[in-house]
Amino acid sequence: FNSFYQVYQHKLKLALIGQSIFGQEVYNKLRKEGHKVVGVFTVPDKNGQADPLALAAEKDGTPVFKFPRWRAKGKPIQEVVAAYKSVGAELNVLPFCTQFIPMDVIDCPKHGSIIYHPSILPRHRGASAINWTLIQGDKKAGFTIFWADDGLDTGPILLQRECDVGQNDTVDDLYNRFLFPEGIKAMVEAVHLIADGKAPRIPQPKEGATYEGIQKKENAEISWDQPAAALHNWIRGHDKVPGAWTTIDGQVVTFYGSSLLDSSVPAGQELAIKSASRPGLVTKNGLVIFGNDGKMVLVRNLQFEDGKMISASKYFSADETTALELTEEEKKMAEDIRAIWKGILSNVAVIEDSTDFFKSGASSMHVVRMLEEIKQKYSGLQLQNEDVYMATKFADFIQMAVRKFRGEDKEEELVIDYVSKNVNNMTVNMPYQCFINGQFINADDGKTYDTINPADGSIIASVSSASLADVDKAVAAAKEAFENGEWGRMNARERGRIMYRLADLMEEHQEELATIESIDSGAVYTLALKTHVGMSVQTFRYFAGWCDKIQASEYGATIPINQARPNHNLTFTKKEPIGVCAIVIPWNYPLMMLAWKSAACLAAGNTLVLKPAQVTPLTSLKFAELSAKAGFPKGVINILPGSGGLVGQHLSEHPDVRKVGFTGSTPTGKQIMKSCVCMIISIFYSAATNLKKVSLELGGKSPLIIFSDCELDRAVKMGMGAVYFNKGENCIAAGRLFVEEAIHDEFVTKVVEEIKKMKIGDPLDRSTDHGPQNHKAHLEKLLQYCETGVKEGATLVYGGRQVHRPGYFMEPTVFTDVEDHMYIAQEESFGPVMVISKFKNGDVDGVLRRANTTEYGLASGVFTKDLSKALYISEKLEAGTVFINTYNKTDVAAPFGGFKQSGFGKDLGEEALNEYLRTKAVTVEY
């Protein structure tokens, strides 16, 4: 802090020569830093409007001079020069100046003059430098602050800054993101360096010098015999001024908002364009045009000769809108907006319906002011800068504003047929149809199936059962959204904003979601509220925060490589979304498993088709409704209830699905993996096959080792949670407990005592500890599991039976004397069955060998007061997660996944993003 003031301790008397908001900001910053601005020299008022730099200076009482010109017939105007000299400046600062300043003025101050230029000199000298940076497809943009001389942008360099140019960056993008904010800082830094006598004067190199003329409308016509990239560069290089144009239907049409389109040719209506070898296509996303290389450019907006701007997608329907008849409230709003226009366009006597905002003297600065003033009066009217450019005449602007005020501009309202039930002291509304491309629709073949409430066996709803045709529709919608839709073009921060909004909506609807989860899966309501829904909300918020950070740190890196002299090389990596992802989830945590996979998938920029478990589809479909309300574009999220063997299998084999994320049983996971392996083998025989990335979170038989030196009561409590949490339907449930001989009997006794205190019953009852198993077939499987344990000689200490009441309830169960060879020692129950084996006192390595003698490796745990022993155990246990003196402690920031036949890949935490990203390496020779 102190060194800053030691370096920048001298202050100067400055003359600011120029204009614009940029000049205004430089002026404000220099004064704030303690420099004295002795005079501001700017342009005369235009249409009665003072330049922003003049406004700021006049407000501060700084002398302001508004000369229309500095020279006449090639010679300085002496009165103007004399007025300039009268202020006694030590340095001229020209942040943005459109006037020609005589050398008598440039050289007059003690320190001369410095100028801001928006290019990396000596490249792109001239007044349209930013435009030519894009027109010529430069990979780097930037600015130079240089010492003025008698040449055109040829003076010595004081400092330079550069930035990357994005593939679809426009002039506005570069200016707003870098040239404007960093340019202001750099101008202030340059003045500081001069004040302290530390400013360099680096001669501009001759090599690489270019000069391009001012781009005007007459020479901005599009030449069509070029590759798509060149067409795109020409259009974006002229966006917004002067505007690249062509002739369509006999009139000049200007193109705005272009982006390269890397996909298959979309469906659309042909549009003939003069001199273009191929017609354009008016699609739902805009106008697609073609380069001579066959590649495509998407243009979002078009402007006609009369100044009217429309969305390119509405070209054929642009004249179909009729004038609205305004209500009294809307008439008042129109007059309020008219008054706002009048306040800005003070030079215009009367704001007529035909008054054009920009032709009347307004600038981009006035756009922001106008929208902010409207927002203050009508907070419900959400307008964007682009809306003003699309409706520049007052009458058109009012029509647009009224349509937005009424909500008519929004996409068609989401139509939902609900199954509604009065339950849990509320009415829950449950969608039951497939969700494809932003709409709830019946299955293509009309088939449905019943989803059952496990608490009483009653039917909750008849749900659409997706067909193969529905899978194809959903994948096509997801592919279109990724390749051509708004989602693929959306910046990462906006993607995060939508995800945050979804998390907020889930939290707003948490009681309804928890109730649906409870009646559909049997989860105890209090647990559903805290864990099933609560952790889902946390997961979406966590990954929403990652959206704009994926390219940071290790996610994007520069890599030193061997140089092929005399050339130089730069290699860097970037992370990219994969594309369409298929996500298949289980029935034990329907919403939470959806969140664990979908949030990372969406944060990475992918689109998805999700198949919920057949027996628990309802919270996934409610999630689809909330995602639409949050603003996810159509096709980004698709939900297909139905058969795993049909829908899940077709998704795993679909050629347009680039990634499959699966959570479920090991046999089903093996089948998915087998599909991929078969594709690998058959690739030698058939070109129709494809490969895809896969991540699997599968079954477990998680060991929990309890030593005699533990806190016994805590071990009992945690051990019961490890087994009975969520009715034992928990992928990381402790499938086998190893209890040291010295405390074995006491441990078992305490467990049985605690089980007897558990309340089994209605999951919506707040006092219930243990709800029904998820579905009838699963209950029957658990009962058979217990029968097998008894037959093999294990001791059934407690439970093992169905509870005699409606629904699929099972008693919490305890087995002891379980030998390593027994079925229940080796296979997962996925239910409320505690399987206890005894181990000899002090036999650490022996119990470790037994714990690791399993095909699975999802989770594990140890209870002991001896930290050294605990850490030794954690190192030796072959599991993706190890809990020490706790259990079930998962967190959205901690990676989750298994070893061996419990699968591969991670959910949650930073590592989960890698499952949904691909790495691209780029090498540049320079």
Side-chain angles (χ1 to χ4, degrees):
F1 182 80
N2 291 332
S3 64
F4 178 87
Y5 285 98
Q6 289 169 5
V7 173
Y8 297 142
Q9 55 187 329
H10 300 102
K11 307 301 176 186
L12 295 176
K13 291 189 290 184
L14 309 173
L16 254 73
I17 304 174
Q19 62 216 68
S20 78
I21 295 177
F22 184 75
Q24 179 191 60
E25 288 296 313
V26 171
Y27 164 84
N28 289 333
K29 295 289 185 185
L30 287 170
R31 289 187 76 249
K32 187 176 180 181
E33 291 293 325
H35 297 285
K36 182 174 178 60
V37 180
V38 293
V40 165
F41 300 84
T42 187
V43 293
D45 296 353
K46 182 180 179 182
N47 297 322
Q49 297 278 339
D51 184 80
L53 175 56
L55 287 173
E58 288 168 348
K59 182 180 178 182
D60 295 331
T62 301
V64 176
F65 303 84
K66 301 178 181 180
F67 301 134
R69 64 187 62 84
W70 292 71
R71 300 192 312 169
K73 297 182 179 179
K75 295 183 179 181
I77 301 172
Q78 292 307 313
E79 295 85 349
V80 173
V81 174
Y84 161 77
K85 289 182 177 180
S86 69
V87 302
E90 297 173 316
L91 173 70
N92 291 332
V93 178
L94 286 72
F96 174 73
C97 183
T98 58
Q99 296 177 311
F100 192 95
I101 311 301
M103 289 307 297
D104 304 52
V105 173
I106 292 294
D107 293 336
C108 181
K110 171 185 175 182
H111 297 291
S113 302
I114 60 170
I115 302 177
Y116 171 93
H117 184 79
S119 79
I120 306 170
L121 292 174
R123 187 165 173 78
H124 302 311
R125 293 170 177 158
S128 295
I130 314 178
N131 304 77
W132 285 102
T133 297
L134 295 176
I135 291 168
Q136 295 194 356
D138 292 0
K139 300 302 181 185
K140 294 285 184 181
F143 58 80
T144 304
I145 297 172
F146 67 96
W147 299 93
D149 64 5
D150 58 358
L152 186 62
D153 304 330
T154 57
I157 294 168
L158 194 160
L159 62 80
Q160 289 183 320
R161 300 283 186 271
E162 66 177 36
C163 68
D164 293 329
V165 178
Q167 178 176 274
N168 294 319
D169 276 345
T170 64
V171 171
D172 282 352
D173 292 332
L174 291 176
Y175 186 71
N176 294 328
R177 185 178 74 237
F178 185 80
L179 300 177
F180 181 88
E182 296 304 318
I184 293 165
K185 295 177 189 175
M187 287 297 286
V188 175
E189 180 184 349
V191 172
H192 283 320
L193 290 169
I194 294 168
D196 286 347
K198 298 180 179 180
R201 291 175 179 263
I202 305 168
Q204 290 192 32
K206 294 181 179 180
E207 183 181 353
T210 64
Y211 171 81
E212 294 90 11
I214 297 175
Q215 281 305 97
K216 298 180 179 179
K217 193 72 175 183
E218 55 266 27
N219 56 18
E221 183 177 6
I222 299 169
S223 173
W224 288 100
D225 191 19
Q226 301 182 81
L231 292 176
H232 168 55
N233 289 336
W234 185 260
I235 295 168
R236 66 176 178 149
H238 291 84
D239 189 339
K240 297 263 187 299
V241 178
W245 59 275
T246 190
T247 302
I248 300 176
D249 291 335
Q251 67 170 316
V252 170
V253 178
T254 305
F255 289 5
Y256 296 108
S258 71
S259 57
L260 289 171
L261 193 58
D262 183 17
S263 68
S264 54
V265 178
Q269 187 173 350
E270 287 193 352
L271 177 64
I273 301 173
K274 183 181 178 181
S275 301
S277 61
R278 182 173 176 179
L281 287 175
V282 176
T283 73
K284 64 181 181 180
N285 294 313
L287 173 64
V288 174
I289 56 177
F290 298 86
N292 60 12
D293 54 358
K295 295 183 179 179
M296 296 175 288
V297 176
L298 179 69
V299 178
R300 292 193 296 277
N301 298 317
L302 305 174
Q303 187 175 39
F304 299 105
E305 290 176 335
D306 62 0
K308 181 180 179 182
M309 186 179 285
I310 65 165
S311 171
S313 63
K314 293 182 169 53
Y315 181 86
F316 289 111
S317 57
D319 298 324
E320 294 177 5
T321 55
T322 56
L324 299 172
E325 185 173 338
L326 307 190
T327 65
E328 290 303 315
E329 180 187 11
E330 290 163 351
K331 288 177 182 177
K332 181 181 182 304
M333 181 176 73
E335 290 309 308
D336 288 339
I337 294 175
R338 192 187 300 271
I340 291 170
W341 277 47
K342 184 68 180 74
I344 295 172
L345 305 175
S346 56
N347 56 302
V348 179
V350 179
I351 304 297
E352 306 282 358
D353 284 354
S354 59
T355 301
D356 188 288
F357 192 67
F358 296 107
K359 291 180 180 178
S360 299
S363 66
S364 58
M365 173 190 70
H366 298 114
V367 171
V368 176
R369 173 184 164 185
M370 187 246 287
L371 295 184
E372 288 301 314
E373 289 190 35
I374 293 174
K375 189 186 297 181
Q376 285 180 343
K377 281 185 171 291
Y378 297 94
S379 59
L381 180 56
Q382 298 297 316
L383 299 174
Q384 307 297 325
N385 291 10
E386 196 72 19
D387 295 325
V388 185
Y389 293 106
M390 299 282 276
T392 60
K393 293 181 180 178
F394 182 76
D396 294 337
F397 184 84
I398 291 299
Q399 291 282 307
M400 176 274 298
V402 170
R403 291 184 191 280
K404 282 185 171 286
F405 190 66
R406 293 178 180 180
E408 293 179 9
D409 68 306
K410 296 178 181 177
E411 291 189 359
E412 62 217 60
E413 186 176 350
L414 183 64
V415 178
I416 309 174
D417 287 336
Y418 292 118
V419 170
S420 298
K421 287 191 177 293
N422 295 314
V423 61
N424 201 23
N425 299 316
M426 69 180 78
T427 300
V428 293
N429 297 309
M430 298 171 284
Y432 60 87
Q433 298 167 294
C434 301
F435 185 71
I436 300 174
N437 202 26
Q439 294 180 311
F440 284 101
I441 59 174
N442 291 326
D444 186 74
D445 58 10
K447 289 184 178 179
T448 63
Y449 68 94
D450 294 336
T451 184
I452 305 298
N453 183 342
D456 58 14
S458 63
I459 296 172
I460 305 171
S462 290
V463 178
S464 293
S465 184
S467 67
L468 295 181
D470 295 310
V471 175
D472 292 339
K473 288 179 191 175
V475 172
K479 183 181 180 184
E480 175 69 15
F482 180 78
E483 294 182 348
N484 301 321
E486 179 186 355
W487 185 252
R489 299 190 302 270
M490 188 179 294
N491 68 62
R493 194 159 296 169
E494 177 65 11
R495 195 161 67 236
R497 187 194 65 77
I498 294 176
M499 290 183 65
Y500 276 123
R501 175 61 180 147
L502 175 57
D504 291 344
L505 284 171
M506 291 168 70
E507 190 168 56
E508 288 174 25
H509 290 262
Q510 61 182 337
E511 288 87 0
E512 185 178 19
L513 286 166
T515 301
I516 297 171
E517 192 93 334
S518 184
I519 64 174
D520 201 27
S521 75
V524 172
Y525 175 77
T526 51
L527 177 66
L529 191 64
K530 178 180 182 293
T531 301
H532 291 230
V533 179
M535 194 172 188
S536 299
V537 173
Q538 292 174 26
T539 303
F540 268 93
R541 285 192 176 134
Y542 173 81
F543 283 107
W546 266 110
C547 287
D548 61 354
K549 302 172 185 67
I550 288 173
Q551 293 298 347
S553 65
E554 69 272 20
Y555 281 96
T558 55
I559 302 169
I561 64 171
N562 289 333
Q563 308 291 345
R565 295 180 180 178
N567 299 319
H568 295 278
N569 299 100
L570 168 69
T571 295
F572 62 90
T573 62
K574 58 184 295 190
K575 292 286 186 176
E576 298 178 339
I578 296 172
V580 180
C581 298
I583 294 175
V584 183
I585 58 173
W587 43 257
N588 57 326
Y589 295 105
L591 186 64
M592 195 170 78
M593 292 296 100
L594 176 153
W596 281 22
K597 283 182 159 51
S598 298
C601 173
L602 294 167
N606 301 288
T607 57
L608 65 87
V609 181
L610 182 138
K611 196 207 84 65
Q614 186 169 2
V615 292
T616 53
L618 296 179
T619 41
S620 293
L621 294 171
K622 189 68 180 180
F623 167 85
E625 175 192 344
L626 298 180
S627 73
K629 291 179 177 178
F632 278 89
K634 290 181 177 181
V636 175
I637 294 173
N638 304 272
I639 310 290
L640 298 178
S643 162
L646 183 74
V647 176
Q649 185 67 27
H650 193 41
L651 282 171
S652 69
E653 295 173 350
H654 200 291
D656 289 331
V657 172
R658 300 301 179 196
K659 157 72 195 268
V660 175
F662 172 78
T663 296
S665 70
T666 296
T668 305
K670 287 179 178 179
Q671 180 59 42
I672 289 175
M673 200 64 207
K674 182 179 179 182
S675 298
C676 296
V677 172
C678 287
M679 290 177 188
I680 293 171
I681 294 170
S682 63
I683 198 166
F684 295 104
Y685 306 101
S686 170
T689 56
N690 73 99
L691 308 176
K692 51 176 56 71
K693 191 172 183 178
V694 181
S695 58
L696 304 172
E697 194 261 278
L698 307 176
K701 186 67 175 174
S702 301
L704 175 58
I705 304 172
I706 301 174
F707 288 94
S708 59
D709 62 351
C710 69
E711 293 182 20
L712 186 57
D713 288 341
R714 178 177 176 81
V716 169
K717 178 183 177 182
M718 290 287 180
M720 290 183 66
V723 176
Y724 302 126
F725 187 81
N726 200 47
K727 313 158 295 171
E729 295 168 353
N730 185 17
C731 53
I732 59 171
R736 191 175 182 192
L737 275 66
F738 294 92
V739 181
E740 197 164 10
E741 192 173 29
I743 59 167
H744 175 273
D745 293 349
E746 185 180 3
F747 179 87
V748 173
T749 299
K750 286 179 175 288
V751 166
V752 173
E753 288 173 356
E754 292 300 316
I755 288 175
K756 291 177 180 178
K757 298 175 187 177
M758 292 172 64
K759 179 179 179 180
I760 302 173
D762 181 0
L764 296 175
D765 185 335
R766 301 324 190 249
S767 63
T768 294
D769 299 303
H770 191 78
Q773 304 309 135
N774 187 275
H775 51 280
K776 185 178 181 181
H778 183 55
L779 172 64
E780 292 171 349
K781 178 183 173 184
L782 287 170
L783 296 174
Q784 182 62 47
Y785 184 91
C786 293
E787 287 180 15
T788 301
V790 171
K791 285 179 182 177
E792 289 190 332
T795 301
L796 179 61
V797 177
Y798 191 90
R801 296 167 299 185
Q802 183 175 357
V803 177
H804 295 295
R805 58 171 293 158
Y808 312 134
F809 293 85
M810 179 176 177
E811 295 175 337
T813 300
V814 179
F815 277 102
T816 60
D817 303 318
V818 178
E819 301 297 330
D820 295 350
H821 68 274
M822 293 179 179
Y823 178 82
I824 64 172
Q826 298 175 7
E827 295 299 326
E828 180 181 30
S829 71
F830 213 64
V833 182
M834 183 178 285
V835 176
I836 302 175
S837 297
K838 188 187 302 183
F839 70 94
K840 293 180 180 180
N841 294 332
D843 189 9
V844 174
D845 291 324
V847 74
L848 270 172
R849 281 193 299 273
R850 296 173 69 189
N852 284 330
T853 305
T854 173
E855 296 178 344
Y856 304 105
L858 189 56
S860 59
V862 57
F863 280 83
T864 175
K865 293 178 183 177
D866 186 337
L867 184 59
S868 295
K869 180 165 51 177
L871 292 175
Y872 174 77
I873 295 284
S874 71
E875 183 181 330
K876 297 297 182 181
L877 283 170
E878 297 170 1
T881 298
V882 180
F883 299 108
I884 298 176
N885 294 328
T886 188
Y887 209 88
N888 286 325
K889 181 61 178 175
T890 54
D891 186 89
V892 294
F896 180 92
F899 300 162
K900 298 188 285 189
Q901 293 202 41
S902 289
F904 49 83
K906 296 294 182 183
D907 291 327
L908 302 180
E910 186 177 347
E911 285 194 42
L913 291 166
N914 284 319
E915 304 299 331
Y916 299 95
L917 292 164
R918 63 187 184 188
T919 302
K920 178 179 286 184
V922 180
T923 298
V924 182
E925 185 172 288
Y926 60 97

